[in-house]
Amino acid sequence: MGNCFSCFKVPPPPSASNRPISQDHKEDTMELRGPYSSSSCSQTGTLTTVETHANGNRKSPLTALGTFNNVGSDNCGSLPVSQNNPRLSRGFYSRLPPLGRSGTSSTLNLNADSKQQREPSESKLNALFDLYKEPHEDIILADGIERLCEDLQLSPDEFKVLVLAWKLNAEQMCQFTRQEFVTGLRSMKVDSIRGIQARLPELVQELTVNGDLFKDLYRFTFRFGLDVGAGQRILPVDMAVVLWRLVFTIREPPLLARWLRFLESHHVRGIPRDTWNMFLNFAENIGDDLGAYDDAEAWPSLFDDFVEHENDQMNQNVTKDDLIKDSAAEKD
């Protein structure tokens, strides 16, 4: 996103008036940690950044899968999560002495008011959207998304940004419509930059333990990578490789690295949706040595080619080892 994988341009919705927002209201809505900076989203050279920054850390490698088999059996696999999220104190009212019927009623009303205040504000949601949308279009495009990422203190190619796009149910990369933005943040129960920053680590944690949630994110990622404007239905291999590395940031299957090397070294036209979806079943049910693979089952033919290639590689390695052992035995 921002410095995104690709910047697909589609005709934006009709423009709406963009009323200026006072500085006080801006700070109240955003709770900014730093000033804006502007840059643009380039279509070139953007597919290589995710591999080195997939987990939001420019130097850390992808964390190996620890509990992949807990994902579930149908197509489901994020960053170490910070536990420093702020929490509201809820013990104050419980320490107050009983005040009788009227006092109890007042306490209930106060609790109800507190709960109501935690609900996202529609005006704040729309004001937050207005801070990042295009000056003459009612849509957030690449430049606005990059500024949003800067205010969230995230790299545009970080896993958490993919999670945010998933929660906003974004139709395609490098743009958020007003409806996606407002509806998505409302479902996250946040209406400020600080609220988003606090909620994203919680969502990442939920994805690590909930296989159904991860499956939903995984399937969303395929759709998210398609060029909707061009009517694309198959992911180009280079895009698929980038997105596989990204979506498996902390739940990496043991087979992933070998699978991606195979795709990059063979002339594969693209990745259909069925192949993308079934890769999780494949990675979960087939051992690292591929011994459990049965080509009589209904796997995509690309999986057959991959297993055959890997078996050939292993056989060649065994043959070389035998030759070395035989040569050493003859010398003895």
Side-chain angles (χ1 to χ4, degrees):
M1 311 237 349
N3 245 348
C4 53
F5 319 121
S6 62
C7 300
F8 304 137
K9 303 295 183 182
V10 297
S15 63
S17 61
N18 184 18
R19 293 178 296 178
I21 302 174
S22 69
Q23 183 64 26
D24 291 342
H25 184 63
K26 171 179 173 181
E27 292 178 354
D28 177 64
T29 302
M30 295 178 56
E31 302 174 31
L32 285 176
R33 296 173 180 244
Y36 291 156
S37 66
S38 61
S39 60
S40 60
C41 183
S42 170
Q43 288 187 345
T44 61
T46 55
L47 290 174
T48 61
T49 60
V50 174
E51 180 177 359
T52 57
H53 307 302
N55 63 357
N57 187 323
R58 298 179 180 271
K59 295 184 179 180
S60 300
L62 297 180
T63 306
L65 170 70
T67 56
F68 182 75
N69 288 334
N70 294 329
V71 173
S73 60
D74 51 349
N75 299 338
C76 296
S78 195
L79 289 174
V81 180
S82 170
Q83 300 298 327
N84 296 325
N85 298 325
R87 290 289 187 269
L88 296 176
S89 173
R90 299 180 180 178
F92 175 74
Y93 293 118
S94 63
R95 295 194 296 269
L96 290 177
L99 296 176
R101 182 183 300 273
S102 61
T104 302
S105 176
S106 299
T107 299
L108 291 176
N109 289 336
L110 286 171
N111 285 331
D113 291 342
S114 177
K115 181 177 180 180
Q116 185 175 3
Q117 290 172 3
R118 290 196 299 270
E119 291 298 317
S121 163
E122 197 75 13
S123 61
K124 282 190 175 183
L125 289 171
N126 282 283
L128 191 60
F129 177 87
D130 290 338
L131 292 172
Y132 300 104
K133 78 180 191 69
E134 293 295 290
H136 305 294
E137 301 177 78
D138 199 41
I139 192 169
I140 299 175
L141 295 179
D143 188 53
I145 290 175
E146 185 162 349
R147 289 188 285 111
L148 173 63
C149 290
E150 289 175 357
D151 293 336
L152 291 171
Q153 298 180 338
L154 295 174
S155 170
D157 52 22
E158 191 170 339
F159 179 76
K160 289 179 183 177
V161 179
L162 175 65
V163 173
L164 177 61
W166 166 60
K167 292 304 294 183
L168 301 188
N169 197 26
E171 193 66 27
Q172 66 180 67
M173 291 182 183
C174 291
Q175 74 171 48
F176 295 143
T177 66
R178 183 180 292 273
Q179 181 178 0
E180 290 170 349
F181 190 86
V182 172
T183 303
L185 292 189
R186 189 191 301 120
S187 72
M188 293 170 62
K189 299 190 180 302
V190 297
D191 56 17
S192 66
I193 291 296
R194 188 170 298 171
I196 299 172
Q197 287 176 315
R199 184 72 179 110
L200 284 177
E202 297 173 350
L203 291 170
V204 171
Q205 178 61 30
E206 291 171 16
L207 287 165
T208 63
V209 298
N210 189 318
D212 289 336
L213 276 182
F214 182 82
K215 180 175 68 175
D216 191 63
L217 169 68
Y218 181 84
R219 291 183 170 180
F220 163 84
T221 302
F222 178 88
R223 174 175 65 80
F224 187 58
L226 295 175
D227 186 344
V228 178
Q232 199 174 65
R233 303 183 67 179
I234 296 177
L235 272 182
V237 171
D238 53 356
M239 176 64 77
V241 168
V242 166
L243 292 177
W244 258 316
R245 286 194 174 108
L246 179 62
V247 76
F248 283 124
T249 293
I250 70 163
R251 301 176 66 145
E252 181 180 343
L255 285 174
L256 182 64
R258 293 157 64 189
W259 168 250
L260 298 183
R261 281 198 301 270
F262 168 79
L263 294 178
E264 291 173 326
S265 62
H266 290 69
H267 299 291
V268 181
R269 185 171 68 91
I271 303 298
R273 185 184 299 271
D274 286 346
T275 300
W276 175 276
N277 288 343
M278 292 187 71
F279 178 74
L280 281 176
N281 280 343
F282 175 77
E284 179 185 18
N285 294 310
I286 305 304
D288 191 33
D289 62 354
L290 305 176
Y293 186 77
D294 183 358
D295 57 8
E297 296 182 10
W299 295 112
S301 59
L302 189 59
F303 293 175
D304 294 338
D305 296 340
F306 168 66
V307 172
E308 181 179 354
H309 169 78
E310 288 297 305
N311 286 335
D312 287 345
Q313 293 294 109
M314 286 188 286
N315 290 335
Q316 290 176 9
N317 291 337
V318 170
T319 301
K320 290 178 181 178
D321 290 342
D322 289 342
L323 291 174
I324 292 173
K325 290 178 181 179
D326 292 342
S327 176
E330 290 176 358
K331 290 179 179 179
D332 293 341

